[in-house]
Amino acid sequence: MKKFIEITAAIKSFGAMIFAGLIIVYTVFGGFFFELKEVSFSLVWQAMFIAFIASGLHFWAFSDTHIKKMKYAHRVALFSLPLLGILSGFAYFGKWFPTDNTLYWLIFIAVYLFFFGVITLVFHLYTVVTGKKYTELLDAYKKRHNV
Amino acid sequence: MKIIINENTDCSETEIIINCKEADSEILKLLASLKEHEQKLTGIKDGKTYVVEPSSVYYFDTVDKKIFIYTKDNVLETDLRLYTLEERLSSNHFFRASKSTIINISKIKTIVPDFGGRLEVTLQNNEKLIVSRQYAHELKIKLGL
């Protein structure tokens, strides 16, 4: 039961973060590029579903709870490809753009890959920089304690 | 130096009292040696009991409610509970990494952040272990962050 609550809490907090991110991206890009003035109620629901599905998928792919010892690149693929499928489903049924036009699909995939690439790169850089800082502190600790 | 041992069946805890003029370097060395002896661990492997120096331990892990000592090239079982080890070795560069693991900081090679506030540590034998979010804070404090 305790584990269930821990998992639920982790998915909920990450889902909330994704939801906020989606709304911010939609508001900023919609406002700047498409002169949108409002967000439809249906889109808010869709964003909420996407956020919690993506959060669950993320937990499944990256948390080690279900998948043990897998390369980071494989985890990224395991998360990004199903997520693209899910988003495509929402785009198709939610009529985000004229779905019979291939060009729109290509733009949709390009935008997805761009954002996914940027987020992955930012996380990678954060990991490298923070990891370097932690390891320097570790070396200083060892030196301080002569171990 | 005079050594006196008083055996008493009513004694509940072994006590060492040193009577001296001054706690000089010799006495301190003796104290260090006594403390070191107290901190030594014993582990069982293939029915044989081995003495293990805490400084040679990479980490302790719990598997099926049994506690194992992991050294560079050995895995030994110990009767001690994880919380006892944590108490005994907290001043010895060990820290709790998760509910089931205690890691020796001096055997960590690198630390990188992981998802959900966790940390991934790589030990000197290239083994990777996870420090759960709950205990990552303790490690950061020990490192002076």
Side-chain angles (χ1 to χ4, degrees):
Chain A
M1 186 65 187
K2 200 180 168 193
K3 196 161 188 175
F4 173 77
I5 291 169
E6 277 173 12
I7 292 171
T8 312
I11 292 175
K12 185 180 71 89
S13 56
F14 193 60
M17 218 160 72
I18 298 173
F19 176 73
L22 285 173
I23 296 295
I24 290 167
V25 167
Y26 186 86
T27 310
V28 172
F29 279 82
F32 274 114
F33 298 109
F34 303 101
E35 293 176 5
L36 295 173
K37 301 279 182 229
E38 57 193 27
V39 183
S40 75
F41 193 63
S42 150
L43 217 57
V44 173
W45 273 107
Q46 286 181 56
M48 204 157 78
F49 277 119
I50 289 167
F52 287 102
I53 291 169
S55 179
L57 200 59
H58 182 273
F59 186 84
W60 173 67
F62 291 103
S63 73
D64 278 347
T65 308
H66 301 100
I67 301 161
K68 315 268 183 201
K69 293 192 177 176
M70 184 186 264
K71 280 183 180 171
Y72 180 66
H74 293 169
R75 287 179 189 268
V76 170
L78 208 61
F79 173 63
S80 62
L81 296 177
L83 184 62
L84 178 61
I86 289 160
L87 284 176
S88 302
F90 272 94
Y92 183 79
F93 292 107
K95 294 183 175 55
W96 291 0
F97 48 80
T99 50
D100 52 351
N101 190 328
T102 316
L103 182 67
Y104 280 101
W105 278 110
L106 290 174
I107 293 170
F108 170 74
I109 292 168
V111 168
Y112 172 78
L113 290 176
F114 172 76
F115 275 104
F116 196 84
V118 168
I119 292 166
T120 308
L121 187 69
V122 167
F123 182 77
H124 177 71
L125 287 175
Y126 165 77
T127 307
V128 170
V129 172
T130 315
K132 199 168 168 247
K133 190 174 92 180
Y134 288 164
T135 306
E136 278 170 6
L137 284 169
L138 174 72
D139 291 341
Y141 176 92
K142 286 180 182 174
K143 214 171 174 181
R144 210 164 50 237
H145 292 90
N146 209 14
V147 287
Chain B
M1 184 165 54
K2 205 156 60 173
I3 297 172
I4 301 166
I5 298 171
N6 291 320
E7 285 181 309
N8 182 354
T9 47
D10 295 333
C11 180
S12 58
E13 193 183 358
T14 305
E15 200 176 40
I16 297 172
I17 299 169
I18 299 171
N19 293 315
C20 60
K21 208 176 219 178
E22 190 191 355
D24 58 11
S25 60
E26 283 297 308
I27 299 288
L28 293 176
K29 213 185 277 181
L30 184 66
L31 276 176
S33 152
L34 283 168
K35 277 184 181 167
E36 199 177 298
H37 174 77
E38 197 186 49
Q39 285 183 336
K40 268 184 188 163
L41 304 162
T42 52
I44 302 161
K45 189 183 177 185
D46 301 329
K48 289 180 184 169
T49 304
Y50 297 88
V51 176
V52 183
E53 289 285 347
S55 60
S56 69
V57 175
Y58 277 56
Y59 66 99
F60 299 94
D61 197 17
T62 315
V63 180
D64 294 335
K65 294 183 179 172
K66 287 178 180 170
I67 317 292
F68 292 93
I69 306 170
Y70 291 78
T71 63
K72 191 179 179 185
D73 30 41
N74 240 333
V75 181
L76 305 108
E77 196 183 331
T78 176
D79 290 336
L80 293 171
R81 308 316 302 161
L82 216 54
Y83 62 84
T84 314
L85 288 165
E86 191 183 9
E87 272 175 19
R88 267 175 71 169
L89 301 168
S90 62
S91 59
N92 244 357
H93 314 298
F94 284 85
F95 75 100
R96 190 71 169 241
S98 68
K99 280 177 192 162
S100 60
T101 319
I102 294 173
I103 301 176
N104 185 350
I105 297 180
S106 67
K107 299 296 181 197
I108 299 175
K109 195 162 73 176
T110 59
I111 306 171
V112 288
D114 199 22
F115 291 103
R118 299 177 312 173
L119 298 170
E120 186 191 79
V121 300
T122 306
L123 302 180
Q124 281 166 4
N125 59 359
N126 290 324
E127 201 169 335
K128 289 181 191 300
L129 297 173
I130 292 292
V131 181
S132 73
R133 191 175 63 162
Q134 199 183 342
Y135 298 99
H137 186 62
E138 189 194 333
L139 175 60
K140 287 179 188 173
I141 287 173
K142 278 204 173 215
L143 296 179
L145 198 72

